[in-house]
C-alpha cells in the first residue's frame, strides 16, 4: 500500500533529539570499522557488555559468551578497545546514547540485503533516521546528507544507489530492545579511562584543551558582550547583529570544553540552530572534528548536542561549532581562512590548527572550520574512450580459472630437486619437527615415503638451511603442492610459488588523472573482480560457499617507469594466484571470504586518510619487496 505524504531529505539536525535532561537513555555499544563508521553491536551483546560494566568498569567483556559468531572477540572496558584474540586486531569501541522512543529503544532494526543474500544492519544513526521517517509515513527518504548516495523507498522497501541506480531490498524487523539506563549521563566511555580521574592525561587533545580553555572562555565572554551588551542575559539579538551558538557535544571524562550559550535571533539576522529541523535562516554550518580525550576539571555539559535521535556526549569527532554571522560583521576584503588540518591529515599540527582557529575567531577574523575530510576513493568519472592501454604492458585484462592451478610432481621428487643430502648431520635442531638433526625425524611413523628414510638430512641449495628430508616432505604435503618449496627459516622460495586465489578477472588501463604526489604523470587503474563461489580442495572448507565482499576493487599506481614495473609484477602475481586467497577478514571478522594475500594495494585515489592512498613515497618500493617475498621478483621480468 502506498504511503501518503511527501518524502524527506535528511537534515543533519533532523530534530530527532530528546531533551538532554531526560533521565532515561538507551545504550548502544559500537565499534569502529576500517571506513571510519561506527557499527552497532546487537542488542543482546550490548546487554551483556552493560552487565559486565556494572560488575567491573575496568573489566573484560567476552563477546563469545552471548554470540557464538563473536567467539574470538573481547572488549577491554578500561582501554575501550575490541580485541580479536586469534589475529591480534584491535578496534576502538564506544558507548553511545539514544532516546528511548528511537529505533534501538523499541527494538527496531533496519537492514539491507547484501550480495550474498543475507541481511546487514544499517549504522545506528541511519537506522534511527529511517525509523523516524517511517513512523511519519514519508514515502521515501534521501540519505545523501548523511554521506550516503542512497534513496530509500518505503513503498517498495528498497534502497537505490543514486550513482549506479542499483537497487537492493531493505527490511524492518523487530528484535530485542537495547539496554535502558536511568540517571545522569556517565563519564565518557569512548576513550581509555585514566589512572586518576583528577589528573588529565598528556595526550595531544588534553594539551589542546588546557591551552585553549582560557582563550575560549574569553571568546565567549567577548561574543556575549558584542551580542547583548555588558551584563546582558536576554535571548534577543539586534536586527543586524551577529548570533553565535557555541556548543560541544563530546565530553572529556565528563567535562566540556565550552559552556553552552543558548540564544535566539530576531529580526533579519541570520540564525543557526543545533538540532533544529528545517532551519529558517541561511546559516553556514561549520564543524570542528576533535578527537575525544580524558579531561577532568569541571561539571558536565548540561545541554548536549543531539543529532538524529542520539546523544553525542561521548561520540568521538562530533564536536560542532555552529556560527551564524550577518554579512555586515565581516570586514570587507578579509578572506575566510580555512583551518582544515584538525585531524592531522595535513602539514599543520592539529593542536596548532585548532588554536589558530580560536585565536582568529577571538580577533574577529572569519574562520572557515571544515568537517573531518572523507576519503576520496575514486577518481572523477572517466569515459571509455579516455581509458588507454598501459605503455609497455600487453593487453588490458587477465582472467584466472580453476584449470590454471598447476600440480607439481610427487613430494619426494620436489624435495630432492631443491636439496643436497648431508652425510654427517650437524648438532642442531630441525626447525620443522624440533628434533635433533642427528636423530630421526619427528614424523617417523607418521609419514612413510619410499626412498626417504627418517634419519636423512638435506640442505637447501640457495640458503643452506638444513632439515630432515621427511620433514620437508611433510611441510610440502601441508602446502599448496604446486611444485615449489619455501624455506621455513628464511622464506627463500624454490621453484614457482602459486596460491589459492579463486577464479576472477583483473583489468588495467591508464586514466587521465593524477595521484597526489605524482602531479606530472597519469594514473594506472587496476580493477579486480572476483565473484562468490564454492571452495575447492585447496581451500579451508571444501564444498562450502565463500563470499566476495567489496568487488570490483579499484587500485591505483602512478603511470611512471616504476609504477609500470609494479603492474607487470602484479600481473605475474595474479597469474600465479597470489593476490587474493580465501580466509577470515581481519576487518570484519567474516570467515570463508575472499581476502588480500599480503600484497598491499592502494585503494584510495585522491587522499591517504585510511593509509591506503597517496601520497606515499615509499609504497612502490614496499610493494616490490612484498612481491619479492612471494617469489615474484624483478628478475622474473623479461627485458
Amino acid at each position: 500500500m502506498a504511503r501518503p505524504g511527501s518524502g524527506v531529505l535528511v537534515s543533519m539536525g533532523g530534530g530527532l533529539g530528546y531533551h538532554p535532561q531526560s533521565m532515561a537513555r538507551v545504550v548502544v555499544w559500537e565499534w569502529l570499522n576500517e571506513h571510519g563508521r561506527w557499527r552497532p553491536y546487537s542488542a543482546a551483546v550490548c546487554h551483556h557488555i552493560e552487565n559486565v560494566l556494572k560488575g567491573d568498569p575496568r573489566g573484560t567483556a567476552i563477546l563469545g559468551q552471548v554470540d557464538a559468531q563473536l567467539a574470538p572477540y573481547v572488549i577491554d572496558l578500561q582501554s575501550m578497545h575490541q580485541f580479536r584474540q586469534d589475529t591480534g586486531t584491535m578496534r576502538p569501541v564506544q558507548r553511545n546514547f539514544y532516546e528511548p522512543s528511537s529505533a534501538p529503544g523499541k527494538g527496531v532494526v533496519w537492514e539491507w540485503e547484501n550480495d550474498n543474500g543475507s541481511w546487514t544492519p544499517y549504522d545506528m544513526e541511519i537506522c534511527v533516521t529511517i525509523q523516524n521517517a517511517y513512523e511519519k509515513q514519508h514515502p521515501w527518504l534521501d540519505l545523501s546528507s548523511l554521506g550516503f548516495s542512497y534513496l530509500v523507498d518505503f513503498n517498495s522497501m528498497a534502497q537505490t544507489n543514486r550513482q549506479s541506480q542499483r537497487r537492493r531490498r531493505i527490511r524492518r524487523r523487530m528484535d530485542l530492545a537495547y539496554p535502558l539506563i536511568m540517571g545522569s549521563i556517565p563519564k565518557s566511555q569512548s576513550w581509555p579511562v585514566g589512572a586518576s580521574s583528577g589528573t588529565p592525561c598528556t595526550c595531544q587533545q588534553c594539551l589542546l584543551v588546557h591551552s585553549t580553555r582560557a582563550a575560549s572562555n574569553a571568546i565567549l565572554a567577548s561574543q556575549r558582550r558584542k551580542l547583548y551588551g555588558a551584563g546582558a542575559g536576554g535571548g534577543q539579538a539586534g536586527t543586524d547583529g551577529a548570533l553565535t551558538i557555541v556548543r560541544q557535544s563530546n565530553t572529556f571524562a565528563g567535562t566540556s570544553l565550552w559552556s553552552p550559550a543558548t540564544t535566539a535571533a530576531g529580526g533579519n539576522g541570520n540564525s543557526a540552530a543545533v538540532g533544529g529541523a528545517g532551519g529558517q535562516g541561511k546559516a553556514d554550518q561549520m564543524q570542528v572534528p576533535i578527537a575525544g580525550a580524558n579531561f577532568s576539571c569541571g561539571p558536565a555539559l548540561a545541554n548536549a548536542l543531539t543529532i538524529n535521535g542520539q546523544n553525542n556526549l561521548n561520540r568521538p569527532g562530533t564536536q560542532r561549532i555552529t556560527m551564524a554571522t550577518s554579512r555586515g560583521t565581516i570586514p570587507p576584503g578579509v578572506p575566510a581562512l580555512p583551518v582544515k588540518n584538525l585531524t592531522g591529515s595535513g602539514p599543520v599540527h592539529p593542536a596548532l590548527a585548532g588554536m589558530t582557529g580560536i585565536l582568529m575567531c577571538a580577533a574577529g577574523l572569519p574562520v572557515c572550520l571544515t568537517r573531518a575530510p572523507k576519503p576520496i576513493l575514486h577518481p572523477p568519472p572517466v569515459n571509455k574512450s579516455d581509458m588507454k592501454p598501459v605503455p609497455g604492458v600487453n593487453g588490458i585484462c587477465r582472467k584466472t580459472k580453476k584449470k590454471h592451478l598447476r600440480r607439481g610432481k610427487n613430494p619426494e621428487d620436489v624435495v630432492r630437486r631443491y636439496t643436497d643430502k648431508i652425510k654427517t648431520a650437524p648438532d642442531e635442531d630441525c626447525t620443522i619437527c624440533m628434533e635433533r638433526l642427528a636423530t630421526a625425524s619427528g614424523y617417523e611413523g607418521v609419514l612413510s615415503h619410499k626412498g626417504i628414510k627418517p634419519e636423512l638430512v638435506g640442505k637447501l641449495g640457495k640458503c643452506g638451511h638444513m632439515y630432515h628430508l621427511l620433514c620437508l616432505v611433510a611441510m610440502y604435503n601441508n602446502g599448496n603442492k604446486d611444485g615449489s618449496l619455501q624455506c621455513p627459516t628464511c622464506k627463500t622460495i624454490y621453484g614457482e610459488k602459486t596460491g589459492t586465489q579463486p577464479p576472477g578477472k583483473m583489468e588495467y588501463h591508464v586514466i587521465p588523472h593524477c595521484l597526489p604526489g605524482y602531479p606530472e604523470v597519469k594514473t594506472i587503474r587496476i580493477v579486480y573482480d572476483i565473484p562468490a563461489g564454492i571452495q575447492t580442495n585447496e581451500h579451508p572448507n571444501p564444498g562450502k560457499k565463500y563470499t566476495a565482499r567489496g568487488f570490483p576493487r579499484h587500485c591505483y599506481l602512478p603511470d611512471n617507469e616504476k609504477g609500470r614495473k609494479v603492474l607487470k609484477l602484479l600481473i605475474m602475481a595474479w597469474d600465479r594466484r597470489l593476490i587474493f586467497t580465501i580466509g577470515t577478514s581481519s576487518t570484519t571478522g567474516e570467515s570463508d571470504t575472499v581476502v588480500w594475500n599480503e600484497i598491499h594495494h592502494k585503494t584510495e585515489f585522491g587522499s591517504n586518510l585510511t593509509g591506503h592512498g597517496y601520497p606515499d613515497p615509499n609504497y612502490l618500493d614496499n610493494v616490490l619487496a612484498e612481491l619479492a617475498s612471494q617469489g615474484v621478483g624483478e628478475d622474473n621480468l623479461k627485458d
Side-chain angles (χ1 to χ4, degrees):
M1 183 177 69
R3 297 168 65 88
S6 58
V8 59
L9 178 68
V10 178
S11 170
M12 289 301 292
L16 301 177
Y18 60 94
H19 195 278
Q21 295 180 349
S22 173
M23 299 300 290
R25 294 167 180 84
V26 173
V27 179
V28 177
W29 284 81
E30 300 168 314
W31 58 277
L32 188 66
N33 70 8
E34 67 275 15
H35 303 298
R37 301 293 305 179
W38 288 99
R39 301 289 296 145
Y41 292 101
S42 68
V45 171
C46 290
H47 278 279
H48 174 67
I49 301 174
E50 284 294 303
N51 290 335
V52 175
L53 182 66
K54 291 176 183 177
D56 183 4
R58 297 173 183 268
T60 300
I62 303 174
L63 304 189
Q65 293 178 348
V66 67
D67 188 341
Q69 293 184 343
L70 301 181
Y73 298 96
V74 297
I75 292 179
D76 178 35
L77 296 177
Q78 180 172 352
S79 65
M80 292 299 288
H81 274 78
Q82 169 191 278
F83 177 71
R84 183 182 173 102
Q85 299 175 82
D86 55 351
T87 63
T89 304
M90 297 184 68
R91 294 185 178 278
V93 300
Q94 71 172 6
R95 187 176 184 235
N96 209 0
F97 301 94
Y98 295 81
E99 61 178 320
S101 61
S102 63
K106 297 177 179 179
V108 175
V109 179
W110 284 88
E111 299 173 321
W112 54 276
E113 187 178 28
N114 57 39
D115 294 335
N116 197 36
S118 56
W119 295 90
T120 302
Y122 286 95
D123 294 353
M124 189 54 70
E125 63 178 289
I126 299 177
C127 179
V128 169
T129 303
I130 294 176
Q131 176 64 17
N132 181 69
Y134 179 84
E135 291 177 349
K136 293 181 179 179
Q137 296 190 343
H138 293 300
W140 54 266
L141 175 66
D142 189 345
L143 297 176
S144 58
S145 63
L146 293 181
F148 297 91
S149 182
Y150 294 109
L151 188 69
V152 174
D153 188 337
F154 292 111
N155 292 324
S156 61
M157 290 298 282
Q159 75 170 21
T160 303
N161 187 314
R162 285 182 170 275
Q163 296 179 349
S164 65
Q165 295 301 310
R166 181 175 182 178
R167 287 170 61 88
R168 294 180 184 270
R169 291 193 301 163
I170 65 173
R171 73 176 183 181
R172 176 182 181 268
R173 66 176 180 86
M174 299 301 299
D175 198 354
L176 180 68
Y178 280 79
L180 187 70
I181 65 169
M182 304 295 293
S184 59
I185 288 288
K187 292 183 178 180
S188 175
Q189 295 287 331
S190 296
W191 301 103
V193 180
S196 170
S197 60
T199 304
C201 73
T202 57
C203 71
Q204 295 180 3
Q205 296 304 331
C206 281
L207 294 177
L208 173 62
V209 170
H210 284 301
S211 63
T212 59
R213 197 162 178 241
S216 63
N217 289 336
I219 292 170
L220 289 175
S222 174
Q223 290 169 343
R224 292 192 184 100
R225 285 194 296 270
K226 291 179 181 179
L227 291 174
Y228 315 120
Q236 202 80 9
T239 301
D240 295 322
L243 171 66
T244 302
I245 302 175
V246 182
R247 291 184 181 180
Q248 191 235 0
S249 64
N250 207 350
T251 58
F252 298 86
T255 66
S256 61
L257 174 60
W258 287 292
S259 301
T262 55
T263 58
N268 297 325
N270 293 332
S271 63
V274 179
Q280 297 177 354
K282 295 181 179 180
D284 296 327
Q285 294 192 359
M286 293 154 281
Q287 302 179 359
V288 185
I290 304 176
N294 299 318
F295 185 65
S296 177
C297 46
L301 181 62
N303 297 320
L305 173 66
T306 58
I307 297 179
N308 295 332
Q310 63 193 60
N311 187 307
N312 289 278
L313 280 171
N314 64 348
R315 191 175 184 86
T318 55
Q319 292 85 352
R320 308 188 188 279
I321 299 178
T322 305
M323 307 176 66
T325 58
S326 68
R327 298 186 182 274
T329 61
I330 301 178
V334 178
L337 301 179
V339 181
K340 299 182 179 179
N341 298 311
L342 296 177
T343 58
S345 59
V348 181
H349 191 280
L352 177 60
M355 191 66 182
T356 301
I358 291 176
L359 295 178
M360 290 174 62
C361 180
L365 296 174
V367 181
C368 175
L369 299 175
T370 64
R371 71 169 63 226
K374 293 183 178 180
I376 303 175
L377 300 178
H378 303 291
V382 179
N383 295 326
K384 286 188 176 181
S385 59
D386 294 329
M387 300 178 189
K388 305 298 182 182
V390 181
V393 179
N394 295 328
I396 59 172
C397 179
R398 308 284 283 201
K399 293 183 179 180
T400 57
K401 299 179 180 179
K402 293 180 181 179
K403 66 180 181 181
H404 284 198
L405 177 63
R406 294 179 297 177
R407 295 292 179 183
K409 297 180 179 180
N410 65 67
E412 295 90 341
D413 291 340
V414 174
V415 170
R416 288 194 181 99
R417 185 185 310 156
Y418 303 119
T419 58
D420 299 318
K421 289 184 180 180
I422 301 296
K423 293 182 179 180
T424 303
D427 187 22
E428 59 185 54
D429 288 339
C430 171
T431 57
I432 297 177
C433 69
M434 301 311 296
E435 299 288 346
R436 306 298 288 179
L437 288 172
T439 64
S441 166
Y443 285 93
E444 182 181 15
V446 179
L447 288 178
S448 177
H449 283 268
K450 189 175 181 179
I452 295 185
K453 297 180 181 179
E455 62 273 10
L456 290 179
V457 176
K459 181 175 70 172
L460 291 171
K462 295 180 183 178
C463 62
H465 289 109
M466 290 180 281
Y467 308 94
H468 292 115
L469 294 182
L470 192 59
C471 292
L472 289 174
V473 170
M475 183 185 71
Y476 179 84
N477 284 334
N478 288 330
N480 197 28
K481 303 177 185 177
D482 57 357
S484 70
L485 203 63
Q486 186 168 16
C487 175
T489 300
C490 64
K491 307 304 180 185
T492 299
I493 295 174
Y494 296 82
E496 183 178 297
K497 179 182 177 181
T498 61
T500 60
Q501 176 180 289
K505 182 172 65 173
M506 174 187 184
E507 296 180 349
Y508 37 90
H509 48 255
V510 175
I511 58 175
H513 298 292
C514 301
L515 291 167
Y518 296 94
E520 305 297 328
V521 297
K522 296 179 181 179
T523 298
I524 299 172
R525 178 166 62 184
I526 306 171
V527 182
Y528 296 111
D529 195 4
I530 295 179
I534 305 295
Q535 298 182 54
T536 61
N537 291 333
E538 61 183 338
H539 297 132
N541 298 296
K544 187 177 180 180
K545 291 182 179 180
Y546 64 84
T547 59
R549 310 291 187 196
F551 287 94
R553 299 186 185 183
H554 293 222
C555 309
Y556 304 95
L557 293 168
D559 184 25
N560 56 19
E561 182 179 356
K562 185 175 286 189
R564 294 168 196 158
K565 179 190 297 183
V566 170
L567 174 63
K568 292 177 182 178
L569 293 174
L570 288 175
I571 294 172
M572 189 178 300
W574 172 267
D575 290 339
R576 297 182 185 180
R577 306 169 70 223
L578 295 169
I579 301 292
F580 296 95
T581 188
I582 294 177
T584 300
S585 171
S586 61
T587 55
T588 66
E590 182 182 12
S591 59
D592 299 304
T593 190
V594 179
V595 296
W596 294 105
N597 189 33
E598 300 180 0
I599 300 175
H600 286 83
H601 286 65
K602 292 296 187 180
T603 56
E604 195 176 339
F605 172 79
S607 56
N608 195 18
L609 300 182
T610 65
H612 303 300
Y614 295 93
D616 185 348
N618 299 320
Y619 168 66
L620 296 179
D621 291 328
N622 291 340
V623 75
L624 285 172
E626 291 174 344
L627 285 161
S629 68
Q630 298 282 351
V632 186
E634 298 181 47
D635 54 341
N636 296 121
L637 294 177
K638 297 180 181 179
D639 296 331

